[in-house]
Amino acid sequence: GPPHMDHIGFIISKIEEVDPCYDFLLSLNIEIFKPPMTHRVGARSFYCRDPDGNLVQMIYHPPLA
C-alpha cells in the first residue's frame, strides 16, 4: 500500500533535557510507549502517545540538535 507516517518526532536541543521531559509527561499521565534510551550514535529518545493515539518520539540527536 501507500507509504504512511509511523510517528511524529520532536527534537530536544540538549541531551540533559530528555529525561526531565519524560518525567514531566509521566506526571501528566501521558501514555509512554518506550522509556528513554541512549542510541549507538549518541542520540537519546523516548516514545509516547498523543491524545489521538499517534506515536510521538522525543529525541536529542547530535547532528539535528
Side-chain angles (χ1 to χ4, degrees):
H4 70 279
M5 179 180 69
D6 67 347
H7 73 280
I8 301 166
F10 290 94
I11 304 298
I12 297 176
S13 61
K14 296 179 184 175
I15 196 167
E16 299 85 10
E17 296 173 350
V18 174
D19 289 5
C21 181
Y22 170 78
D23 292 338
F24 175 71
L25 294 176
L26 264 182
S27 76
L28 297 175
N29 295 317
I30 300 299
E31 179 186 351
I32 301 300
F33 184 73
K34 289 186 182 177
M37 66 175 284
T38 300
H39 307 270
R40 288 176 284 170
V41 295
R44 185 160 176 82
S45 71
F46 67 91
Y47 290 86
C48 59
R49 295 214 181 260
D50 72 8
D52 292 325
N54 297 302
L55 190 59
V56 178
Q57 181 183 31
M58 306 298 284
I59 184 168
Y60 164 78
H61 193 278
L64 300 176

